[in-house]
Amino acid sequence: MVWIYISESLLYLCFSLLMGSFILQFIPERLKPKISIPKRLIQLSVLGIIFFSAAPVIRIILFLYEDIGLMLTMQNVLGGFGVGKAWNVTVILALFFYLFVSLFPVLKSKVLAGISLAFTFIFLLALGWASHAASLTEWSGFVVHSLHFLAVTVWVGILLIVGWCSKNQENWLSYLKWFTPLAIGCFLTIMGTGIYLMTLVIDVNEYGDAWMLPYGQALLLKHLTIIPVLFFAFINGFWIRRKLQRQEQINPIPWLKFESILLYFTFVSTAVLGQQEPPHSIEITFGGSGSSAVFDYFYSGIIDPSMHVQFGLNTISTMFFIVAIIFMWLILYSFRKKAPASVSFFMGMFCILSLYLGLIASIQ
Amino acid sequence: MKRIISATLILLFTFTTTVSAHTGLTISSPADGEYITEDVYEIVLEFNSKIESTSTVKVFDESKEEIIISNTQVSDNVITGGFMSPLDNGAYTVEWKIIGADGHPIQGTYSFMVSQDELEEPVVTEENQETSDVPKEESIEEPVEQSIEDSSKIASNDVLVLILVILFTIAGGFFGWILGRWQK
């Protein structure tokens, strides 16, 4: 169960790495720090797409083979099922792509980087095609899902490559000048498309009710993770810029690294969302897959699928929110006091935990 | 060699168990919890979307013996299975496993009762009365418990308070540490 989430989140990571690497080839040298991307990273990311996109297929084979035998199942799944066929196409294309990035200097020429970018984009569309949203609507779900994923991979991809492959921090101000607006644009796109995708699956008024289900829990954690991400984005995009303009000594790279780690957590919760049963109707889903274990633990009343989760502030939940605000403030405070980025990162993690428990505790 | 090792590791990582998705059972005959008083020759399950042909349905009796289903047919969004002979009296469990149109595997179980009127009728009603007595007691007890819990529905209040104290301690500790260590 856990492995499918890990594999799925690593798939998003591979996409982001490819996207970021190829986009950065189009940025003139004077607008970015010195970056050296190991070729092996590109190769591994392509292989990653092959392996990690196999997870749903493997899952189906494991699900069925007890009944009709392993060989027959594999023939059936790979030859007959939509998922299996889609994966076949992905593998054949990805093998081509692998040879392409291995044989040609894709990180040396703009033309080759452009072709690679197009390749990556095709894979991205294939993934959108297989998404929940695509199966729910004629075409809008597919388009919006792909757009959502594209915005994520552009933003996170560039962040990852600059954060982990930069050799120095020259041209940092001119890099921020173009990256900050791009990141804001991507973020707004992600938010808009994300809200649309969410309404496909749950009624916004049932957001709290969905917490009874694993799906809702994953959605809540994903949204909460975005809060510390925004604090880090503010530090990286604005505060560090101001410090650099004042000629202060500061190394922005660790801050980028930790922001990308936080973003990876959103990948994991997204993976959980993608594999869980979306609660088109909370009551029916409840009957099919039961309630979330965490919710069971904190909620001692009789859980009735038709009930509506009611919120009300009580002493305990208020205290949790207070401590959450303290942690938010500590994220910024430790930056101001020049503490290492890891301190802010942990403050961010505690902030997520406090907010989560505060919301859970305010259920009446 | 290194690459082979990492590839196998990656493959190992993709081992998973089942997770459910979109498709769900909408109508079935016999239905969940149904109490049937006539001959049952077949079982029909209807889902809310197209299902793949490898979907299966199994029926078990009270002693967990599988009832042989002679022909299972999958057409579009319906599975039908026929029994060799009408089902005897007793409780039956149905287990179904399907692959939805979007490739997500999903499984479920439900049960129904077959109880055809026979000479044993009086016995049945007596049993019925006995069994209906038990739930009554339970149903009296439950609301009492609930009304006690209504005042505070969070079971683990103590746990939450404990976590709160720990979080405040962490926040305070870090604040002091940052203040002391990186004072400029």
Side-chain angles (χ1 to χ4, degrees):
Chain A
M1 184 81 148
V2 170
W3 297 122
I4 195 149
Y5 303 149
I6 301 287
S7 119
E8 198 72 9
S9 60
L10 288 172
L11 179 67
Y12 306 150
L13 190 70
C14 291
F15 268 103
S16 304
L17 288 170
L18 290 173
M19 215 62 173
S21 310
F22 298 132
I23 288 175
L24 279 165
Q25 301 316 306
F26 292 90
I27 306 293
E29 295 297 332
R30 63 189 166 77
L31 295 181
K32 61 184 181 194
K34 185 155 176 46
I35 296 171
S36 81
I37 304 169
K39 182 130 190 181
R40 177 133 308 173
L41 184 75
I42 303 288
Q43 288 174 311
L44 282 175
S45 300
V46 179
L47 286 180
I49 289 182
I50 298 180
F51 285 122
F52 299 135
S53 61
V57 179
I58 291 173
R59 196 182 71 204
I60 292 189
I61 292 175
L62 290 177
F63 178 80
L64 286 175
Y65 83 99
E66 293 165 2
D67 297 331
I68 53 175
L70 191 58
M71 281 316 291
L72 194 61
T73 311
M74 280 170 76
Q75 278 170 2
N76 256 321
V77 173
L78 292 175
F81 286 17
V83 182
K85 285 178 186 166
W87 188 70
N88 290 340
V89 176
T90 309
V91 170
I92 292 164
L93 274 176
L95 284 172
F96 262 111
F97 190 24
Y98 179 76
L99 289 174
F100 183 80
V101 299
S102 307
L103 299 173
F104 297 102
V106 280
L107 295 172
K108 298 279 190 298
S109 102
K110 277 194 181 153
V111 177
L112 294 177
I115 295 171
S116 310
L117 202 57
F119 252 120
T120 313
F121 186 64
I122 290 168
F123 286 124
L124 193 134
L125 291 180
L127 204 75
W129 191 249
S131 72
H132 275 320
S135 59
L136 293 173
T137 56
E138 286 293 314
W139 56 271
S140 64
F142 161 64
V143 171
V144 175
H145 185 282
S146 304
L147 193 63
H148 186 77
F149 194 43
L150 181 70
V152 172
T153 48
V154 169
W155 176 34
V156 182
I158 297 172
L159 197 82
L160 278 167
I161 300 291
V162 174
W164 297 87
C165 300
S166 292
K167 287 280 163 279
N168 58 21
Q169 41 167 307
E170 63 192 28
N171 307 328
W172 202 266
L173 279 172
S174 40
Y175 151 73
L176 284 180
K177 199 171 253 161
W178 65 266
F179 182 65
T180 305
L182 177 73
I184 292 172
C186 283
F187 182 77
L188 293 177
T189 310
I190 293 164
M191 226 169 70
T193 49
I195 290 169
Y196 174 81
L197 292 171
M198 190 170 87
T199 53
L200 282 183
V201 173
I202 58 172
D203 190 344
V204 178
N205 301 326
E206 290 184 339
Y207 185 77
D209 300 351
W211 295 357
M212 289 187 273
L213 303 165
Y215 186 92
Q217 291 277 327
L219 194 64
L220 172 63
L221 278 176
K222 180 176 175 174
H223 293 162
L224 290 179
T225 313
I226 294 170
I227 294 168
V229 166
L230 288 177
F231 276 89
F232 268 78
F234 168 75
I235 289 173
N236 279 321
F238 298 98
W239 208 347
I240 284 185
R241 187 174 72 187
R242 214 173 57 190
K243 280 187 182 282
L244 287 173
Q245 280 165 339
R246 291 192 195 147
Q247 311 290 325
E248 282 182 52
Q249 274 300 311
I250 182 149
N251 182 4
I253 289 170
W255 293 88
L256 274 197
K257 283 183 177 171
F258 279 106
E259 185 181 346
S260 66
I261 294 173
L262 275 173
L263 282 163
Y264 179 72
F265 288 128
T266 60
F267 282 5
V268 176
S269 44
T270 308
V272 177
L273 284 186
Q275 302 304 326
Q276 285 288 353
E277 182 169 1
H280 304 300
S281 151
I282 289 180
E283 280 184 61
I284 293 176
T285 309
F286 201 91
S289 58
S291 61
S292 145
V294 183
F295 190 85
D296 281 356
Y297 179 75
F298 285 110
Y299 190 81
S300 66
I302 308 295
I303 298 181
D304 166 27
S306 63
M307 74 182 184
H308 288 290
V309 173
Q310 299 282 335
F311 297 103
L313 281 177
N314 52 40
T315 321
I316 294 187
S317 64
T318 315
M319 298 292 272
F320 271 117
F321 292 133
I322 290 171
V323 88
I325 290 167
I326 293 175
F327 279 123
M328 285 178 204
W329 175 77
L330 277 172
I331 294 175
L332 298 173
Y333 181 76
S334 48
F335 172 78
R336 215 185 62 188
K337 286 286 176 197
K338 296 195 168 59
S342 54
V343 176
S344 280
F345 171 76
F346 282 113
M347 295 300 100
M349 296 304 283
F350 284 122
C351 169
I352 296 171
L353 183 69
S354 317
L355 283 172
Y356 174 77
L357 290 170
L359 287 169
I360 293 288
S362 60
I363 293 171
Q364 297 196 321
Chain B
M1 190 65 214
K2 255 189 195 167
R3 216 177 285 178
I4 292 171
I5 291 170
S6 60
T8 36
L9 272 181
I10 289 167
L11 266 185
L12 279 179
F13 277 171
T14 50
F15 264 93
T16 58
T17 53
T18 58
V19 191
S20 52
H22 287 86
T23 315
L25 184 65
T26 46
I27 310 167
S28 67
S29 140
D32 182 13
E34 198 180 350
Y35 206 84
I36 305 164
T37 51
E38 52 205 35
D39 284 346
V40 181
Y41 288 101
E42 63 166 9
I43 179 160
V44 182
L45 303 181
E46 198 175 304
F47 295 88
N48 60 2
S49 79
K50 196 178 164 308
I51 51 179
E52 300 276 8
S53 59
T54 44
S55 307
T56 58
V57 60
K58 288 177 184 170
V59 179
F60 299 91
D61 64 13
E62 281 166 65
S63 53
K64 299 278 176 287
E65 286 285 313
E66 193 179 335
I67 309 288
I68 296 167
I69 295 182
S70 52
N71 55 337
T72 315
Q73 283 183 326
V74 179
S75 65
D76 220 24
N77 65 332
V78 182
I79 304 186
T80 338
F83 302 113
M84 307 292 251
S85 57
L87 295 177
D88 297 331
N89 287 353
Y92 292 89
T93 318
V94 181
E95 277 186 18
W96 50 268
K97 268 189 172 187
I98 60 157
I99 305 280
D102 59 353
H104 281 260
I106 164 168
Q107 56 195 354
T109 59
Y110 74 87
S111 51
F112 62 88
M113 288 275 292
V114 175
S115 166
Q116 286 163 313
D117 291 343
E118 278 166 27
L119 293 175
E120 303 170 40
E121 218 184 323
V123 182
V124 173
T125 45
E126 243 180 77
E127 263 182 47
N128 260 357
Q129 273 184 332
E130 259 182 60
T131 49
S132 66
D133 261 357
V134 179
K136 237 186 229 170
E137 273 179 50
E138 274 178 30
S139 61
I140 290 167
E141 265 178 51
E142 258 177 55
V144 176
E145 265 180 58
Q146 248 190 300
S147 63
I148 292 169
E149 280 173 349
D150 260 357
S151 53
S152 74
K153 278 197 171 167
I154 302 296
S156 10
N157 247 338
D158 302 347
V159 178
L160 285 174
V161 172
L162 187 70
I163 297 172
L164 248 182
V165 172
I166 293 170
L167 284 174
F168 268 104
T169 315
I170 291 170
F174 265 101
F175 174 67
W177 187 51
I178 295 164
L179 199 68
R181 174 138 185 214
W182 287 282
Q183 191 75 44
K184 290 254 163 177

